[in-house]
Amino acid sequence: MPRSTPSSAEQTVADIGEFGLIANIIRGLSRTPAVSVGPGDDSAVYLINGSAVTSTDILIEGVHFRRDWSSATEIGRKSVAVNAADIEAMGATPVAVVMSLGVPGDLPVRWVKDFAAGFRAEADTAGLALVGGDTSSARDITISVTVIGETGALEPVLRTGATPGEVVAVCGRLGWAAAGLTALGRGFRSPRAAVDSQRVPVVPYGEGRRAALGGATAMIDISDGLLADLNHVAQASGVWIDVETAAFEIPEPVAAVASAVGKDPLDFVLTGGEDHALAACFPMGELPSGWVGIGTVREADESGPMVTVDGRPHEGASGWEHFRRG
Amino acid sequence: MPRSTPSSAEQTVADIGEFGLIANIIRGLSRTPAVSVGPGDDSAVYLINGSAVTSTDILIEGVHFRRDWSSATEIGRKSVAVNAADIEAMGATPVAVVMSLGVPGDLPVRWVKDFAAGFRAEADTAGLALVGGDTSSARDITISVTVIGETGALEPVLRTGATPGEVVAVCGRLGWAAAGLTALGRGFRSPRAAVDSQRVPVVPYGEGRRAALGGATAMIDISDGLLADLNHVAQASGVWIDVETAAFEIPEPVAAVASAVGKDPLDFVLTGGEDHALAACFPMGELPSGWVGIGTVREADESGPMVTVDGRPHEGASGWEHFRRG
């Protein structure tokens, strides 16, 4: 075989400079009809129907992701997905996204190209146009994403609207990402479906909007874990939410990891974070297809707003919090 | 004197955790009539009149600021100002801002409080409501800000609209921040006005909108330096921009630093970045008050679009670029 010439895989960000970095990010960018000014002017310009809906997240290497656990493409996709899920959770439609990227100078250009490809692919799937961004040098790879959506003719679906007598339903995966993280943490790369879910959440795009059209009264993105996030709804709405464990089918990859580590698979389903499924409350009656009823909304009793499992308090970990010691 | 009890200045971010950090950022937040949902739900919701206009910047300690050169309050103010200036440069009105903050666990809570106070103060000045954000642990303080504005009934003012025969005008400070940086770099804390300009740019809020109402055909935020940014306009519009040095009055603090370091003060004015003044092109005639004519737009000749100074090419540094070696 002929010896290969130095490939672009060996080029670093320092070699191509800031403008080269930007060129790699915006190359092949698709534009939607809403966008009148994309990257390149002082600001981007795009149309918003109804009210604007905005969410932002920051992802930092070593805190939110590891390069040896996730490919650049996966990290690019995930950085879009976690934000787009927040727009879905308002019953809104994703429109535009801006992204800032801080990287060390010795980062291979190949990593940036793959990251940008993943970012663009997930943005396309979510219906988002990348309209602008910023770049910087940084010791740790740092990704900041802001997504802007629109409500159209509907009111946004907040966390405050849950009313006693309603059904609590979910759409999307529960426990997959946590099971995948457990597998990765023990050095396994399988079950593949769970590990993939940890690397890139499978956001049920369009289902937030469908829930809003279907009469959802309250909705939330499940990022911290089902019980922790339902508790946000319970507190905001001043209600008692009871989850019925009989309503859940345990997904096979979750069951496999639970069995391997000797854990109750329901723990993954009820408390596992990072799946970015949606939970919503609906008036009693028909649920939108794809949504599964998993509980009920009740009047808060003297204990105040809370979440119970089969009528009883759940003993378990709460959501993830940065900074806390031990 | 009595011994002081442990003060909150000694508390660190690790002591108060993520929720404590967020509480310190959103405490005392003012809300504008445009905002219907502020921080606390999955996304923020607010009204946009006309088209949405968005800009984003990332600021990282050691790259964009130093804690020994700028106070936390100044860094908070600057992180808003640099973005709001990009909205002004579109002739748009600032509406909403989201901010992500990554900080090391050993950062004093006092720093966060002062940063948040500066952020809120500048946001208030710019007319921006802080509607959401994210926090994370990070090795270096990392600030990502996204600003959303609105065009109202006007078209956005792009870089592409400059036409031969027009006047080029500026509004705001030129060279002050670069002079301040030079002073700081040599260990001086004066002249105070220049050093302050480096720490917090004095953005001419409202002047971008006034320029748009006054007929501006092209506009840009001067972040890299007057000539470098006018070159962006020249390239985008396909014109030749000639700057007349006789039109500039050298500001006293800039003259003082130039004299101290043996440099031509015009170099600061023409090439100094980070002032976030505005440059715009107007049809010949009356300029909005506060705007000063400093050049003319001509037909590009066979050399192509360019910027000249008194009819000649300028020999000097171009804009700041991250990553580049040597």
Side-chain angles (χ1 to χ4, degrees):
Chain A
M1 270 174 62
R3 278 183 56 195
S4 61
T5 51
S7 77
S8 68
E10 291 152 349
Q11 257 193 340
T12 67
V13 167
D15 293 328
I16 61 170
E18 186 170 15
F19 299 123
L21 180 63
I22 293 170
N24 273 293
I25 295 169
I26 65 177
R27 186 168 293 148
L29 208 58
S30 53
R31 186 178 286 193
T32 63
V35 179
S36 55
V37 179
D41 214 298
D42 291 279
S43 303
V45 184
Y46 50 94
L47 274 176
I48 288 292
N49 290 305
S51 288
V53 177
T54 299
S55 177
T56 192
D57 266 303
I58 189 164
L59 301 175
I60 301 179
E61 181 177 14
V63 180
H64 302 92
F65 64 87
R66 291 173 50 164
R67 267 191 271 171
D68 55 341
W69 281 9
S70 298
S71 72
T73 310
E74 290 164 341
I75 294 163
R77 290 185 55 198
K78 183 172 187 168
S79 68
V80 172
V82 298
N83 278 286
D86 280 325
I87 302 296
E88 292 282 340
M90 304 299 282
T93 305
V95 175
V97 57
V98 295
M99 185 260 292
S100 287
L101 180 64
V103 293
D106 62 2
L107 186 72
V109 171
R110 167 56 51 201
W111 194 96
V112 174
K113 288 186 179 183
D114 291 346
F115 167 82
F119 191 98
R120 286 193 299 261
E122 190 76 15
D124 286 347
T125 305
L128 286 163
L130 176 61
V131 296
D134 190 18
T135 58
S136 172
S137 56
R139 282 205 290 170
D140 301 307
I141 298 176
T142 302
I143 305 154
S144 174
V145 175
T146 302
V147 172
I148 301 100
E150 62 186 13
T151 59
L154 298 178
E155 289 294 310
V157 183
L158 310 186
R159 300 177 180 181
T160 50
T163 308
E166 291 178 339
V167 175
V168 180
V170 295
C171 182
R173 295 178 170 181
L174 290 176
W176 294 53
L181 186 66
T182 296
L184 283 168
R186 301 195 177 206
F188 294 102
R189 306 239 158 196
S190 68
R192 184 62 183 271
V195 166
D196 284 351
S197 267
Q198 206 285 319
R199 289 168 170 159
V200 183
V202 180
V203 175
Y205 292 119
E207 292 296 343
R209 187 69 178 169
R210 283 221 293 164
L213 291 165
T217 58
M219 187 153 45
I220 194 165
D221 160 48
I222 303 172
S223 55
D224 295 334
L226 177 64
L227 299 184
D229 286 316
L230 285 181
N231 190 47
H232 292 316
V233 174
Q235 300 298 327
S237 297
V239 297
W240 169 11
I241 290 177
D242 186 52
V243 170
E244 291 159 40
T245 55
F248 295 95
E249 271 188 63
I250 304 295
E252 197 283 324
V254 174
V257 174
S259 161
V261 302
K263 191 171 164 178
D264 183 347
L266 255 180
D267 274 356
F268 284 127
V269 171
L270 296 178
T271 66
E274 293 198 86
D275 275 310
H276 298 280
L278 298 169
C281 301
F282 295 91
M284 199 62 72
E286 206 175 343
L287 293 172
S289 73
W291 286 79
V292 179
I294 53 99
T296 50
V297 182
R298 305 181 184 180
E299 298 245 17
D301 64 12
E302 63 280 2
S303 314
M306 62 179 173
V307 175
T308 55
V309 177
D310 297 331
R312 289 183 300 274
H314 183 75
E315 305 287 326
S318 61
W320 171 256
E321 190 178 0
H322 295 298
F323 306 114
R324 275 287 183 211
R325 290 180 175 134
Chain B
M1 269 174 62
R3 278 183 55 196
S4 62
T5 51
S7 78
S8 66
E10 291 152 350
Q11 255 192 344
T12 67
V13 167
D15 293 327
I16 62 170
E18 185 169 16
F19 298 124
L21 180 63
I22 294 170
N24 272 295
I25 294 169
I26 65 176
R27 185 167 295 147
L29 208 58
S30 53
R31 186 178 287 193
T32 62
V35 180
S36 54
V37 179
D41 214 297
D42 290 279
S43 304
V45 184
Y46 51 93
L47 276 177
I48 288 291
N49 290 304
S51 288
V53 177
T54 299
S55 176
T56 193
D57 266 303
I58 190 164
L59 302 175
I60 301 179
E61 182 177 13
V63 180
H64 301 91
F65 62 88
R66 290 173 51 164
R67 266 191 271 170
D68 55 341
W69 281 8
S70 297
S71 72
T73 309
E74 289 164 342
I75 294 163
R77 289 185 56 199
K78 183 172 188 169
S79 68
V80 173
V82 296
N83 278 286
D86 280 325
I87 302 297
E88 292 282 339
M90 303 299 282
T93 304
V95 175
V97 57
V98 295
M99 185 262 292
S100 287
L101 180 64
V103 293
D106 62 1
L107 185 73
V109 171
R110 167 56 52 200
W111 195 95
V112 174
K113 288 185 180 182
D114 290 346
F115 167 81
F119 191 99
R120 286 193 299 262
E122 191 75 15
D124 286 348
T125 304
L128 287 163
L130 176 61
V131 297
D134 191 18
T135 59
S136 171
S137 56
R139 282 204 291 168
D140 301 306
I141 298 176
T142 303
I143 305 155
S144 173
V145 175
T146 303
V147 171
I148 301 100
E150 61 187 14
T151 59
L154 298 179
E155 289 295 308
V157 182
L158 310 186
R159 299 177 180 181
T160 50
T163 306
E166 291 179 339
V167 175
V168 180
V170 295
C171 181
R173 295 178 171 182
L174 290 175
W176 294 51
L181 186 66
T182 296
L184 284 167
R186 301 196 177 206
F188 293 102
R189 306 240 159 194
S190 67
R192 183 63 182 272
V195 167
D196 284 352
S197 267
Q198 206 285 320
R199 289 167 169 157
V200 183
V202 180
V203 175
Y205 291 120
E207 292 296 343
R209 188 68 178 169
R210 282 221 292 164
L213 291 165
T217 58
M219 186 152 47
I220 194 164
D221 160 48
I222 303 171
S223 54
D224 295 334
L226 177 63
L227 298 184
D229 286 316
L230 284 181
N231 190 47
H232 293 314
V233 175
Q235 300 299 327
S237 298
V239 296
W240 168 12
I241 291 178
D242 185 51
V243 170
E244 292 159 39
T245 55
F248 295 95
E249 274 187 60
I250 303 295
E252 197 281 325
V254 173
V257 173
S259 162
V261 302
K263 190 172 164 176
D264 182 348
L266 255 180
D267 274 356
F268 285 128
V269 171
L270 296 178
T271 67
E274 293 198 87
D275 274 311
H276 297 281
L278 297 170
C281 302
F282 295 89
M284 199 62 72
E286 203 176 345
L287 293 172
S289 73
W291 286 79
V292 178
I294 53 100
T296 51
V297 183
R298 305 181 185 182
E299 297 246 17
D301 64 13
E302 65 279 0
S303 314
M306 62 176 172
V307 176
T308 54
V309 177
D310 296 331
R312 290 182 300 275
H314 183 76
E315 305 287 326
S318 62
W320 171 255
E321 191 179 0
H322 295 298
F323 307 115
R324 274 287 182 210
R325 290 180 177 136

